[in-house]
Every structure is written in C-alpha cells, then in structure tokens.
Amino acid sequence: MAPVAPRSGDAIFANVERVNAELFTLTYGAIVRQLLTDLEEVEEVNKQLDQMGYNIGIRLIDEFLAKSNVSSCVDFRETAEVIAKVGLKMFLGVTASVTNWDADGTCCSLILEDNPLVDFVELPDTCQGLYYCNILSGVIRGALEMVSMKTEVTWVRDMLRGDDAFELQVKLLKQVPEEYPYKDDE
Amino acid sequence: MIVCVAVVGHQNNPLYIQSFTEADDALKLHHIVHCSLDVVDERVNNPKKSGPMLNETFLGLLYPTENYKVYGYLTNTKVKFILVTTDLDVRDADVRNFFGRFHAAYVDAVSNPFHVPGKKITSRTFAERVSNIVKSFGLSSAG
C-alpha cells in the first residue's frame, strides 16, 4: 500500500476545493494575534492553539478518510507516512518527510520544509516562547486519537525561532482499543 | 549611490528610515526627507495633468538639492516612499524598478500579523531586503 500513497496525495489535492493561500495565512495570523491580545500569556496561547487544533483534528479525520480512501494502516510507520504525504498535502498543500524513527517504531519526526501558515510572519521579541504553528500539533493529535492512537506531538525545530525547518515529533503513547459503549447488562 | 530610503505613513509619521552611508550627517538626511514630504503633498493636491494618469504611484524627481536628488512614490493608502540619491545620472526606469521592488518588500513586511499598521516597521527581513535592493540598484545603474 505504501507506494500508492504519495501519488494519491497529489491527485486528491488536485480534486479538493482550494482557498487562496494568502487569505488562509492572513486569517491564521489574525487568529493568533487575537489570542495574544485576549490571553496575554504566551503559554496560554500555545495551549489554546493546541486545543483548537485538537477540535479541528477530531473532525478533520473523517473528511480525510472519506476523501482519500486509504485503507487501515498496518503499523505506526505507515500512519506517519500517510499523514506526511497524503494528509498534509491534502489540507495544507505541502508534504513532509518522516525521519528519526526510534528503536520501537513509536516515535518519529515530521519535517516540513515549507509551511503556508508562516508566510510573512516574524515573531516580535515579546512573543519568543510562542509556538506559532501549534495548531498543527493539535490537529495531528486529535486526528490520531479518533483512530484509537493516543499520541504526544511536540515541536522540535521552528523556523520562526531561527531553525532551518519545522520539525514535529510525534510519539505514540498507546493504542486504545475500541470500547463499546454498551454494557453487558443493558 | 543611494544614501537614504524612507517610508512615511499617511499622517506623515515616519515608519522606516535607513541611511546607507556613514559619511553624511543622518540628521541632514532626515531633514531632506522631511522637506520632501511637502513637495509630495503639493504634487498630490495639484495634479498637473488633467488627463488620466494611470501610474499615479510614481511621483518622480521631487526636487534636486545641493548634491542630492530626491524621488518619491505614493501608494494608494497614502504611504510614501522617499529615495535620496547622490547619483548624477539616474535613469527613470531604474528608479521605477527600485520602487516596484521596494513596494513588494513593504507589502510583505506589513502582512506580518505582528506588525501594527501605523507603527514603525521592525522586521529584520524587510531591512535585509531593502539593503539588497539598494545594493542591486547601484549595480544596475552603473552597468
């Protein structure tokens, strides 16, 4: 299944409705600015962005699975590849590369060379602790939670802080098996 | 050689001033820029031609003074770009080209969500791009 995924990412991206990139970037910038004005604390804003991303992710996963028709992934490695090549391509228009696998295959890094959320953005000195793209980590966490994987997603490298690329570390904490809501005695 | 570029807001408040030569007095350059704003206002309020002027953005040579030439460019939001140069023969096309690229850099700097419109431009990327544009202006007009 893995060789099919990279091509289908581009094909799906060509078929979904798209929005102007500058509108998207400016809208996201306005959201972050407003959060900073309302919450004032950089840590609070980071948490709020993550929460917003989580809420988006739990809904986005259904659209992703419906439009992309990928079959169930065999293991976490495949999951990471699908996110990087198909998921990010479909929704952000960019692909990421997956590297830095650890020994158990439960932790990897997604590296984004190009990120449409941060066009034109420069962090001022007052917001140096801000993870501007924290919404992405929430989206991935939320989406994976809906397919029974509890993960922890953190930023390792951030171009707005002077690094050379965006690197997200995705760590699988545990696979939660499906729980049936019905109790036996009902 | 370009000695100074400036971006002035619509209320004639300075948004960005950068001089590229240590030789001249920075204060004198700021004063020249300030005086040229009056000329800009005059040009804007009394258009010389009554016909349609499609490229109203480029104001051209504002006034030659001593050993400097001052060029102006007006955006549709009344933000003014002022260019002070010591070159004796400067082609019109070069200056227009310069202002075009300067305008593009300005637009990218203003699109930063952390930039407050009306406040000074603090973007380091903008400063670098302006330096590059200034450097390549010198090269193209020399060649």
Side-chain angles (χ1 to χ4, degrees), chain B:
Chain B
M1 224 214 24
I2 296 186
V3 296
C4 178
V5 290
V7 180
V8 182
H10 69 284
Q11 285 156 341
N12 286 345
N13 47 326
L15 294 176
Y16 182 79
I17 292 192
Q18 180 68 45
S19 12
F20 295 96
T21 162
E22 300 88 11
D24 291 323
D25 189 15
L27 198 56
K28 190 162 89 170
L29 293 171
H30 289 199
H31 183 247
I32 293 179
V33 168
H34 196 77
C35 294
S36 61
L37 294 177
D38 282 335
V39 183
V40 171
D41 283 337
E42 202 187 294
R43 290 269 181 99
V44 164
N45 295 333
N46 311 325
K48 285 186 285 201
K49 297 192 186 66
S50 52
M53 292 210 353
L54 291 169
N55 194 6
E56 294 155 350
T57 50
F58 181 60
L59 299 167
L61 185 62
L62 295 177
Y63 69 109
T65 162
E66 306 173 15
N67 30 3
Y68 300 121
K69 283 187 175 178
V70 183
Y71 288 89
Y73 182 97
L74 183 68
T75 67
N76 52 350
T77 47
K78 301 271 188 289
V79 172
K80 308 159 188 74
F81 303 147
I82 307 286
L83 167 69
V84 183
T85 174
T86 52
D87 272 341
L88 294 172
D89 55 343
V90 183
R91 279 185 303 217
D92 202 45
D94 284 340
V95 184
R96 281 179 196 267
N97 182 298
F98 172 89
F99 276 130
R101 287 153 75 190
F102 193 80
H103 195 170
Y106 170 74
V107 163
D108 286 347
V110 168
S111 304
N112 180 3
F114 294 106
H115 172 259
V116 181
K119 290 274 168 74
K120 293 200 195 305
I121 298 178
T122 51
S123 152
R124 261 162 288 156
T125 333
F126 178 67
E128 271 171 43
R129 279 176 78 172
V130 168
S131 304
N132 288 340
I133 299 174
V134 166
K135 280 198 203 97
S136 63
F137 179 80
L139 292 172
S140 69
S141 60

